[in-house]
Amino acid sequence: MLVVVCVMSAACLILSYGAGALVGVIRPENAPTGPMGLVPAAQAMGRIYLASVLMIAIQFLVALRFASFVPGLVLGIAGTFFAVVATGAKAGVFLPWQMPVNMLSEVAWRLQTALSLGFGLGLVVLALAIAVLSRRDVP
């Protein structure tokens, strides 16, 4: 699951640059000018990916723990809803669905907190998920 998210993020970055190049072909007056800034964009995407590990781990655990798709779906929708509502809140930095968005913040403590909690706790939750799911009896 982590690999899929990583590939999707890289594809998004590549397609964004492709769209900019295509605009330059179709309408040369609107072509991007100056350096493309691939390194800063890739670094930002990498931080967003690392901060999203906790959210991915929680969704992974819920999706595999329950036989129905409904709990995972409800969790994802509710998490996204609360992340949108808590965008400006100080406590929003602790919401797993808000952590990737905090990588775009200009406030240093939000960025550092979301990155360390998202990646660190994400690895812990992934380890716990593996331990819990390995004990399940699957018919």
Side-chain angles (χ1 to χ4, degrees), residues 12-109:
C12 182
L13 183 62
I14 292 167
L15 290 173
S16 296
Y17 280 98
L22 187 61
V23 165
V25 171
I26 295 172
R27 299 189 79 180
E29 67 273 8
N30 293 336
T33 58
M36 293 296 268
L38 182 61
V39 172
Q43 288 174 342
M45 291 293 283
R47 284 192 304 270
I48 290 170
Y49 172 72
L50 291 177
S52 67
V53 171
L54 179 60
M55 176 185 63
I56 294 168
I58 293 170
Q59 284 287 149
F60 172 74
L61 176 62
V62 171
L64 292 182
R65 172 63 184 91
F66 298 101
S68 174
F69 72 94
V70 176
L73 183 67
V74 169
L75 180 66
I77 292 172
T80 303
F81 174 76
F82 286 115
V84 169
V85 171
T87 299
K90 287 185 178 182
V93 72
F94 301 107
L95 183 64
W97 280 257
Q98 185 68 32
M99 289 177 184
V101 176
N102 282 313
M103 293 299 99
L104 304 175
S105 176
E106 295 177 358
V107 182
W109 74 268

Side-chain angles (χ1 to χ4, degrees), residues 64-65 67 131-139:
L64 292 182
R65 172 63 184 91
V132 167
L133 293 173
S134 67
R135 294 177 177 227
R136 277 190 63 183
D137 288 335
V138 180

